[in-house]
Amino acid sequence: MNQLLTLLKPETVVFEIKGSSKEEVIGQLLDKAVSAKLIEPDVREPVYESLLAREKSMSTGIGSGVAIPHCSVNLVDELKCVMGLSAKGIEFDAIDHLPVHIFILLIVPKSKFQEHIKTLAQIAKTLNVKEDREKLIQAKDFDEIRKTFSN
C-alpha cells in the first residue's frame, strides 16, 4: 500500500486549506493535528516554532505544487502526518516559485531520523505523478484520496 495513504486518516486531511501565508497554512495543519489527537494541545506551539525554524533555513516547497513542511522533535514518539489541499494554491516560497496546492505536514521524533528521510523520499516520489497531484487537489473526501493512491 502507498506509504502516504498509510499515514493519513479521514480526520487528518484539511480539504480546503485557508490562509495566504506559510505561517497560516502551518498553523492550520497543526490545528488539525491537535483536533485529530495526533499531538497534545500543549506541544502545538513548540512544534509550530520548530516547523517555522525549518522553513527559515530552507523552504519545504519542493515544487510542482507540493510542500512538505516537517520538523524533528522530542515531543512525539512516532511519525505524525497531516495533509492540506488548496485548489487555488498558496504562495509558499517553493523552489519553482509556483503556488502550492498539496501540503504534507510531518512531525517526526528525533530518535527516528532515518525513518524520516525515507518517508520524505517516498512521499516526494508518490507525488511525482502530475495526474495524481491533479486528482488530489480536486478531492472532496477521503475516498477520492484513497482512489488516487490505489491505482
Side-chain angles (χ1 to χ4, degrees), residues 1-13:
M1 180 185 265
N2 178 292
Q3 166 88 27
L4 185 54
L5 202 51
T6 62
L7 295 172
L8 294 170
K9 297 175 186 65
E11 64 272 15
T12 62
V13 179

Side-chain angles (χ1 to χ4, degrees), residues 104-119:
I104 309 293
L105 176 80
L106 296 174
I107 307 166
V108 187
K110 276 197 190 289
S111 62
K112 297 189 177 171
F113 189 72
Q114 288 307 103
E115 176 189 331
H116 171 73
I117 299 296
K118 200 167 96 180
T119 302

Side-chain angles (χ1 to χ4, degrees), residues 14 17-34 39 43-56 58-61 67-71 82-84 90-93 100 103-107:
V14 180
I17 204 147
K18 306 283 184 263
S20 55
S21 71
K22 210 179 255 208
E23 293 80 7
E24 288 174 10
V25 168
I26 289 172
Q28 195 173 352
L29 293 169
L30 275 177
D31 289 344
K32 179 57 95 169
V34 170
I39 61 171
V43 303
R44 183 198 181 281
E45 200 54 36
V47 170
Y48 180 72
E49 294 302 324
S50 182
L51 287 161
L52 292 185
R54 172 66 184 84
E55 288 297 328
K56 281 189 184 88
M58 189 174 120
S59 177
T60 58
I68 309 177
H70 58 278
C71 66
V82 175
M83 179 162 68
I90 298 169
E91 172 53 42
F92 207 80
D93 193 27
V100 171
F103 300 89
I104 309 293
L105 176 80
L106 296 174
I107 307 166

